[in-house]
Amino acid sequence: MSVLPLLADHSTTINLVGGGKAISAPVQIFLLLTLLAVLPGALLMLTGFTRILIVLGFVRSALGTPTTPPTQVLVGMSIFLSLFVMAPTLKQVNSIAVQPYTHHEIGLQSAIDRGQEPLRTFMFKQTRDSDLALFVSMADLPRPKTRADIPTYVLIPSFMISELKTAFQIGFLIYLPFLIIDMVVSSTLMSMGMMMLPPVLISLPFKIMLFVLVDGWHLVVQSLVQSFHT
């Protein structure tokens, strides 16, 4: 039997167990398409993607290789590292919200409420109290007594600026050893009277060699993943 007449029939509804209401099939398809449209934004706002991508960008800049690795490679690494970091949280969302909803054990609103709790827990762990206080103050909300009193629309921007600050702190630490190499090379060239020779031309091989010798990508990725568990 073709499903097209069923989708075209606006009177066809699907009962949500426990929801108390019925949502038509076209509306559910619309909600699904909307969810797919906001997934890229959710990847940026609700996961560690922002921190990971910024830190990897700092690594590339500190090495002095603006096109290596390519941006596509850094974005791909950031996506899969984000999935690795978020795997426990996503499994929890699947077990307490997605699976019960697909088995018609809970309604849509209940699934949304359950699903956001693991994400909120993850974001609270990575968000500074000062950033939360800033957005609570700007939203003119009463002082919250518990985390449950903080709305999600306040938590998300607080989490974002905390992630930016953390990423820049890690980036600063990554820059230091490469900055020392640049300073040593520059002072050596000046003492030799070779001021017309660009220091970057000489320091680049040394920075790459240092990064390879210390297994830089291993250290960076390990530090990034561990930073979400501290």
Side-chain angles (χ1 to χ4, degrees), residues 47 82-83 86-95 118-119:
T47 70
S82 299
L83 291 175
M86 298 297 299
T89 302
L90 296 178
K91 288 180 181 178
Q92 190 176 0
V93 171
N94 181 63
S95 63
L119 291 174

Side-chain angles (χ1 to χ4, degrees), residues 12-193:
T12 302
T13 59
I14 299 177
N15 290 324
L16 302 177
V17 177
K21 293 183 180 180
I23 297 180
S24 64
V27 172
Q28 285 204 336
I29 294 174
F30 173 77
L31 292 176
L32 178 60
L33 293 176
T34 302
L35 178 63
L36 293 176
V38 302
L39 277 179
L43 176 65
L44 291 174
M45 294 184 294
L46 307 180
T47 70
F49 178 83
T50 301
R51 181 192 306 186
I52 295 171
L53 182 59
I54 291 176
V55 170
L56 294 181
F58 270 119
V59 172
R60 185 173 66 177
S61 299
L63 282 171
T65 54
T67 58
T68 306
T71 302
Q72 294 86 343
V73 173
L74 295 186
V75 173
M77 286 181 60
S78 301
I79 291 174
F80 285 102
L81 285 175
S82 299
L83 291 175
F84 178 81
V85 169
M86 298 297 299
T89 302
L90 296 178
K91 288 180 181 178
Q92 190 176 0
V93 171
N94 181 63
S95 63
I96 69 174
V98 177
Q99 291 301 321
Y101 176 70
T102 56
H103 289 86
H104 305 290
E105 298 173 1
I106 59 175
L108 179 60
Q109 185 60 49
S110 179
I112 294 174
D113 293 338
R114 288 188 182 187
Q116 69 177 345
E117 285 307 314
L119 291 174
R120 282 172 57 90
T121 301
F122 171 80
M123 288 189 288
F124 272 120
K125 289 181 179 179
Q126 311 302 325
T127 305
R128 294 175 174 82
D129 292 338
S130 58
D131 297 327
L132 282 172
L134 170 65
F135 282 94
V136 168
S137 174
M138 290 193 296
D140 292 327
L141 297 176
R143 183 171 181 174
K145 297 180 180 179
T146 63
R147 289 181 173 181
D149 297 332
I150 300 178
T152 302
Y153 75 88
V154 171
L155 175 59
I156 291 177
S158 305
F159 169 75
M160 285 294 296
I161 63 174
S162 291
E163 286 293 280
L164 290 174
K165 183 176 181 178
T166 302
F168 273 74
Q169 288 174 337
I170 298 174
F172 172 76
L173 296 176
I174 290 174
Y175 250 99
L176 285 180
F178 299 108
L179 178 61
I180 292 174
I181 293 177
D182 285 332
M183 292 176 63
V184 170
V185 170
S186 297
S187 60
T188 303
L189 291 177
M190 290 184 64
S191 64
M192 296 174 63

Side-chain angles (χ1 to χ4, degrees), residues 200-218:
V200 177
L201 189 64
I202 305 299
S203 64
L204 179 58
F206 289 100
K207 290 192 288 187
I208 294 176
M209 181 179 66
L210 172 66
F211 196 70
V212 171
L213 289 177
V214 301
D215 200 0
W217 290 114
H218 176 93

